Amino acid sequence: MTKQADEITDFLDSDTINSLSTFLEKEKGYESSADLIAAAFGSEKGFSKMKKDAVEKLVSSFKNNLKLLIQKTWVEKSDIALKDQLLYQLNIFLGNESWKDNYVLFLQLINQAVFLMFGQKPDTADFAEYTLRIDPEFGIFWWYISNLPPKTEWSEEKCRLAMLLGMYFLANY
């Protein structure tokens, strides 16, 4: 079972919770699991079958919303350089064509952005519970992100789908 499984059961049904394990473990046939996770983020059916123009629109919305979140988040003076670095890394991320090559950078971007937003390290044991308590929707997103492997040898398509799920949530947050 995935991390935070006990707390997440208050917010998600067992099919959705189990879909994350299926998504993470399967090399083929993981699309329906991704669709269940996407539904937990508020997506319509067929997320895994998104057309190219819809993907481009999603990536653009992700960029705009993450940029806005980074720019508008109030931080201590000591974290201003982190904001600038994060905006720079976002541009590098968006300029790279390979989903597989971008996977690690994507997770770094998300972790750094979450650190700026919440002012605490997202990799601490109690952060997941904290996010579920203050904002269940964000807590569900964090449950998803925190269960993704830090590095992977997944296919280009699976990396694409894993990142699009995270992007979808942040594009609409």
Side-chain angles (χ1 to χ4, degrees):
M1 191 160 275
T2 58
K3 293 182 214 167
Q4 309 167 243
D6 293 337
E7 296 90 6
I8 203 75
T9 58
D10 291 340
F11 303 97
L12 293 175
D13 61 49
S14 62
D15 287 343
T16 304
I17 293 168
N18 293 333
S19 69
L20 180 58
S21 294
T22 303
F23 179 78
L24 296 173
E25 293 165 9
K26 282 190 170 183
E27 198 48 48
K28 294 184 187 222
Y30 51 77
E31 294 85 359
S32 60
S33 296
D35 289 341
L36 277 173
I37 296 165
F41 294 158
S43 173
E44 308 257 331
K45 291 185 179 203
F47 183 87
S48 64
K49 308 247 185 292
M50 195 182 319
K51 303 282 186 224
K52 185 178 180 180
D53 60 327
V55 169
E56 290 171 359
K57 184 178 178 186
L58 173 59
V59 171
S60 177
S61 294
F62 165 76
K63 172 193 162 196
N64 293 336
N65 209 25
L66 187 58
K67 198 173 181 180
L68 186 63
L69 284 169
I70 294 166
Q71 291 172 335
K72 298 298 180 188
T73 298
W74 182 89
V75 295
E76 299 288 336
K77 284 185 180 184
S78 60
D79 290 328
I80 291 175
L82 179 60
K83 282 176 77 167
D84 293 338
Q85 176 189 1
L86 196 50
L87 291 169
Y88 175 75
Q89 287 177 317
L90 179 61
N91 286 329
I92 290 173
F93 171 78
L94 294 168
N96 190 347
E97 300 274 326
S98 170
W99 293 94
K100 192 171 183 173
D101 291 345
N102 256 349
Y103 179 84
V104 171
L105 180 55
F106 173 74
L107 292 179
Q108 289 171 351
L109 282 170
I110 300 303
N111 276 284
Q112 290 173 345
V114 168
F115 171 77
L116 284 179
M117 290 166 46
F118 288 91
Q120 61 177 294
K121 294 207 181 258
D123 56 358
T124 59
D126 61 343
F127 184 75
E129 182 183 337
Y130 169 74
T131 59
L132 281 169
R133 207 174 43 248
I134 64 161
D135 185 348
E137 287 180 356
F138 191 87
I140 291 167
F141 164 74
W142 192 250
W143 162 79
Y144 169 73
I145 291 294
S146 67
N147 278 286
L148 291 175
K151 293 180 182 179
T152 185
E153 290 300 319
W154 290 341
S155 67
E156 180 78 9
E157 180 56 30
K158 188 168 181 179
C159 288
R160 173 186 166 276
L161 198 49
M163 289 189 280
L164 286 176
L165 284 165
M167 288 180 178
Y168 180 83
F169 177 83
L170 287 175
N172 294 292
Y173 186 62

